[in-house]
Amino acid sequence: MESPAFDLAFEPAYGRAVPVAPGVERITAENPGPFTFFGTNSYIVGAASVAVIDPGPEDEAHFQALMAALGGREVTHIFVSHTHRDHSPLARRLQAATGAVTVGQGPHRPARPLRAGEINPFSESSDMEFVPDLAIGDGETIAGDGWALTSVLTPGHTANHAAFALEGRDILFSGDHVMAWSTSIVAPPDGSMADYMASLERLIARQDRLLLPGHGGPVMEPASFLPALKAHRLKREQAILTRIQAGDRRIAEMVKAIYSDTDPKLYGAAALSVLAHIEDLLERGEIAADGPPSLAATYRLL
């Protein structure tokens, strides 16, 4: 199977609400970066009474753009896909301005406990203050005026990641789990590759016709894109096994070989992605380590 056809064509239209589906508007925050693409997408769902999905970072211009797009409409709920600082912090100010109820899977937490001596490399990216008013479980539906959103828990990118399905429309707000422009970073201890792959299987089985992600443009053909994304991850896993078989023992060596066409500035993130795959391979008994898995450990095939 071919690799995913990533789509880099995107017009962020900063400060403006862009209709992306009937009853759905997108406002993109101006926080571009290597992990955010052009910025974080916030969505407004509904007509006279609405829900906001992923209000975004604590940013004055984005807050004002959201308020202008709302145009005085009632906001009943604020949904948060996960607690990274580019998605959830503005929920506090938006709630104060609108009185809306915040909804999410739960507070930020790692996918596994920190090991002795381990430092969470993405701790500064985590919004530890967000606690949803409603901790939504898998498959729970919250309805508003002409809309209903059902949670599809998709741990992997973070332990508390959730996607939201717009009922009756075959549209899924996929957060950072699946994006059209790039793969999602899965970095331990916040992320888990085993969880990510299981969540990806859930989305493949759903057969949604449109995915609206947290960054970049929509995934227009999920039926072909999602299996290709899965194949891409499995290909990366096989590349790691091949490098270990070739004699690479440390993650740094594997990264240089596997990501030879990648900007070295992104090697740190690449190393964490390799570590996520290695943790999964260790759990499945395909490789062994000289101790607890880490960026500095050595690995071998079994």
Side-chain angles (χ1 to χ4, degrees):
M1 180 175 290
E2 295 182 1
S3 295
F6 292 119
D7 185 0
L8 301 181
F10 181 68
E11 172 51 57
Y14 297 128
R16 293 192 291 112
V18 178
V20 291
V24 181
E25 301 165 273
R26 180 187 67 216
I27 304 98
T28 302
E30 194 169 357
N31 60 325
F35 303 121
T36 59
F37 198 33
F38 282 94
T40 303
N41 294 330
S42 300
Y43 295 96
I44 299 174
V45 182
S49 179
V50 304
V52 173
I53 299 175
D54 280 347
E58 177 51 63
D59 178 87
E60 178 64 27
H62 189 53
F63 175 72
Q64 295 300 334
L66 273 174
M67 294 304 292
L70 290 168
R73 290 178 288 179
E74 179 188 23
V75 182
T76 60
H77 295 83
I78 300 168
F79 290 78
V80 170
S81 67
H82 65 292
T83 45
H84 278 158
R85 290 190 180 277
D86 56 323
H87 287 262
S88 57
L90 201 60
R92 290 181 278 278
R93 186 141 57 125
L94 187 61
Q95 181 180 47
T98 64
V101 173
T102 59
V103 182
Q105 191 278 330
H108 193 83
R109 67 183 189 280
R112 60 161 175 78
L114 282 171
R115 299 189 176 99
E118 185 180 21
I119 297 173
N120 186 343
F122 281 90
S123 59
E124 293 185 1
S125 301
S126 303
D127 181 4
M128 306 302 293
E129 297 179 24
F130 178 79
V131 179
D133 297 323
L134 290 178
I136 195 168
D138 190 47
E140 292 186 21
T141 300
I142 293 177
D145 181 16
W147 57 264
L149 290 165
T150 298
S151 65
V152 181
L153 299 191
T154 47
H157 176 64
T158 60
N160 67 347
H161 195 285
F164 301 104
L166 185 56
E167 289 299 317
R169 302 281 297 281
D170 295 329
I171 293 174
L172 184 77
F173 297 91
S174 57
D176 282 8
H177 184 65
V178 175
M179 300 175 288
W181 73 282
S182 176
T183 57
S184 175
I185 186 169
V186 180
D190 276 8
S192 161
M193 189 59 69
D195 288 348
Y196 180 88
M197 295 300 285
S199 295
L200 191 57
E201 289 285 3
R202 291 199 69 192
L203 297 200
I204 291 172
R206 284 184 53 83
Q207 300 182 328
D208 293 294
R209 66 174 180 83
L210 181 70
L211 306 185
L212 296 175
H215 306 278
V219 177
M220 302 296 293
E221 300 289 343
S224 57
F225 187 85
L226 291 172
L229 188 60
K230 175 185 174 182
H232 178 79
R233 292 286 187 178
L234 293 175
K235 184 178 179 181
R236 184 57 44 80
E237 176 185 287
Q238 186 57 51
I240 292 167
L241 291 171
T242 298
R243 292 314 309 168
I244 296 175
Q245 186 176 35
D248 290 352
R249 292 291 175 262
R250 296 183 185 275
I251 288 176
E253 300 168 359
M254 302 177 207
V255 167
K256 287 182 180 179
I258 297 170
Y259 294 87
S260 58
D261 58 349
T262 299
D263 185 340
K265 293 179 182 177
L266 299 177
Y267 276 7
L272 290 168
S273 180
V274 171
L275 176 59
H277 276 291
I278 280 177
E279 288 187 346
D280 188 21
L281 289 166
L282 283 164
E283 183 67 25
R284 286 153 45 196
E286 297 199 29
I287 62 174
D290 64 354
S294 70
L295 294 174
T298 60
Y299 303 95
R300 67 184 188 278
L301 295 179
L302 285 176

